[in-house]
Amino acid sequence: LIAVQPNLWAGYLAMYLFFFIAFLVHYPVSPRVRMFMYGATLLVILNLVYTMSRGAWLAALGALFFVTTMKSRRLLIPVALVAAGLYVFLPDTAAERFQSGFEGEYDPKLLTQERLEGEEAASRIIQWRNFLPMLSESPVIGVGFGQYAETFFRRGLGEKLRSAHSTIIEIAVENGVIGLGAYLALLFAFYRRASIVLKRGVEP
């Protein structure tokens, strides 16, 4: 209902999950409502698992670890237990999908074999491996807005024009360290402002 692509739906779920977590941690509710929210949180997690989006899984786990470490360390043990439980009871297809992100060697040859899974993984690995060499073409101001795909193709890294699968790679290559610094500063400003609101708010 939100997006045709599973990865976009997974990204939405990964962000939406934190609404439920914050609600459960901070908002005083009756036991009945709390049980309902636990169930809703579980449904969001299950939906996220079945999107098969490794990037969204890692993003959600990384963000969850960061938030609990910085803002609510008492949740570290419950989060670790939930993560371990998910890993143990993960459906075979999801477990294989997760493991495939860390195994195997990928090279440009896979981009011409018409194997969608191999092509998808290969392009991302190649992008990360060539991140610094591409950035070195114009490290300060970048190669220009919207020029990542052209630069990727020109360097012989793929058989066709490909956009970056990572916002960090795209911003850094197209806008240089200045653009990447501005992007990271924006994220830090969001985090800093949210921290201030959390401390000063009457209701967390």
Side-chain angles (χ1 to χ4, degrees):
L1 295 176
I2 303 298
V4 177
Q5 294 186 29
N7 283 336
L8 296 180
W9 171 234
Y12 173 80
L13 289 171
M15 292 184 288
Y16 197 47
L17 175 63
F18 288 88
F19 165 78
F20 291 93
I21 294 172
F23 192 94
L24 287 169
V25 171
H26 293 294
Y27 202 76
V29 293
S30 66
R32 178 181 295 180
V33 174
R34 182 166 293 275
M35 288 303 298
F36 173 80
M37 292 302 292
Y38 276 127
T41 305
L42 181 61
L43 285 176
V44 172
I45 293 173
L46 287 174
N47 267 273
L48 180 57
V49 167
Y50 279 101
T51 61
M52 300 297 168
S53 176
R54 293 168 295 197
W57 295 345
L58 291 173
L61 287 174
L64 190 57
F65 178 76
F66 176 79
V67 169
T68 52
T69 301
M70 299 299 292
K71 297 299 176 189
S72 189
R73 292 181 184 174
R74 63 192 171 92
L75 288 178
L76 278 174
I77 293 178
V79 166
L81 291 175
V82 170
L86 281 173
Y87 184 78
V88 171
F89 296 106
L90 208 60
D92 291 341
T93 52
E96 291 170 5
R97 173 75 172 169
F98 184 82
Q99 200 64 30
S100 68
F102 303 96
E103 297 176 345
E105 287 292 323
Y106 298 108
D107 58 64
K109 294 178 182 178
L110 285 170
L111 301 179
T112 62
Q113 294 180 0
E114 297 184 355
R115 288 175 49 223
L116 186 60
E117 176 71 16
E119 179 180 340
E120 174 190 0
S123 66
R124 298 174 191 179
I125 298 296
I126 292 166
Q127 286 177 353
W128 276 109
R129 285 179 178 173
N130 289 276
F131 172 41
L132 292 179
M134 291 181 69
L135 178 61
S136 67
E137 284 197 16
S138 183
V140 179
I141 61 173
V143 297
F145 183 74
Q147 295 302 305
Y148 178 87
E150 181 65 36
T151 305
F152 186 83
F153 179 76
R154 177 169 48 79
R155 292 176 68 93
L157 300 174
E159 300 295 317
K160 57 185 178 182
L161 296 178
R162 286 181 179 276
S163 59
H165 193 264
S166 165
T167 303
I168 292 177
I169 292 178
E170 183 176 15
I171 290 176
V173 172
E174 293 186 356
N175 304 285
V177 294
I178 293 177
L180 182 60
Y183 176 68
L184 296 177
L186 182 63
L187 294 181
F188 178 76
F190 286 154
Y191 171 74
R192 179 70 176 162
R193 186 60 188 163
S195 298
I196 293 173
V197 171
L198 180 62
K199 291 177 181 177
R200 295 179 181 176
V202 177
E203 293 186 2

